[in-house]
Amino acid sequence: MIRSFLFLLPLLISQFSLFAAEPVELEIELDLDLVFNISHFKGNSSRLIIWLPSEHGVSRGMSSVAGKISELNSHVWLVDLHSSYMVPASRYSLSEFPISDLMALLSHAEVMGFDEIYLLSAARGAKMVLDM
């Protein structure tokens, strides 16, 4: 059993590097009053995952996971809504983010040429995504 695992270990390591991909910091301005702060983890496809935070905001662990996802050939936009709107993370902070602005971000992603766009969130952020 151990030999089998040691044989598979190089295969697993080749699928995931030990270090997550480094993001490119984007500022997407959709109107004069709003600039979305986004960490873009580049993939090798026309697929984009827009990761919206929960009410707790963006955590350090999210960047690591986003980097790993991008290694599987998907672009990932980790959107820091709280800093974009200058709203502190709290239980009801997501109510400060207009759905129309998030829809505009989604439309912007389509204009940029992404064929497949997926929305990702957790906790109260999932309700926000469903409202879109």
Side-chain angles (χ1 to χ4, degrees):
M1 183 64 99
I2 293 175
R3 261 185 279 164
S4 298
F5 176 75
L6 292 176
F7 176 75
L8 292 175
L9 189 59
L11 295 174
L12 293 173
I13 291 173
S14 69
Q15 293 298 317
F16 297 101
S17 69
L18 295 176
F19 302 100
E22 289 297 316
V24 174
E25 299 303 321
L26 299 178
E27 290 185 347
I28 295 179
E29 185 174 345
L30 298 178
D31 63 33
L32 297 176
D33 296 334
L34 177 63
V35 175
F36 281 108
N37 299 317
I38 298 173
S39 297
H40 180 186
F41 296 83
K42 293 186 177 186
N44 293 322
S45 71
S46 60
R47 180 177 40 246
L48 171 66
I49 298 169
I50 299 176
W51 193 346
L52 302 172
S54 71
E55 67 274 17
H56 304 293
V58 174
S59 69
R60 219 178 290 160
M62 291 170 74
S63 288
S64 176
V65 172
K68 297 292 185 185
I69 292 171
S70 72
E71 291 176 7
L72 298 173
N73 295 326
S74 292
H75 291 268
V76 180
W77 283 0
L78 184 54
V79 184
D80 190 346
L81 292 175
H82 293 85
S83 72
S84 297
Y85 286 93
M86 292 183 267
V87 172
S90 69
R91 183 177 180 123
Y92 299 105
S93 60
L94 297 183
S95 64
E96 301 289 324
F97 312 138
I99 298 299
S100 59
D101 290 350
L102 300 175
M103 292 301 294
L105 180 64
L106 188 62
S107 295
H108 182 77
E110 287 178 317
V111 169
M112 290 183 67
F114 292 105
D115 294 332
E116 297 176 54
I117 300 173
Y118 300 92
L119 299 170
L120 173 67
S121 194
R124 292 179 188 263
K127 181 193 179 305
M128 181 178 59
V129 166
L130 290 172
D131 288 343
M132 291 175 68

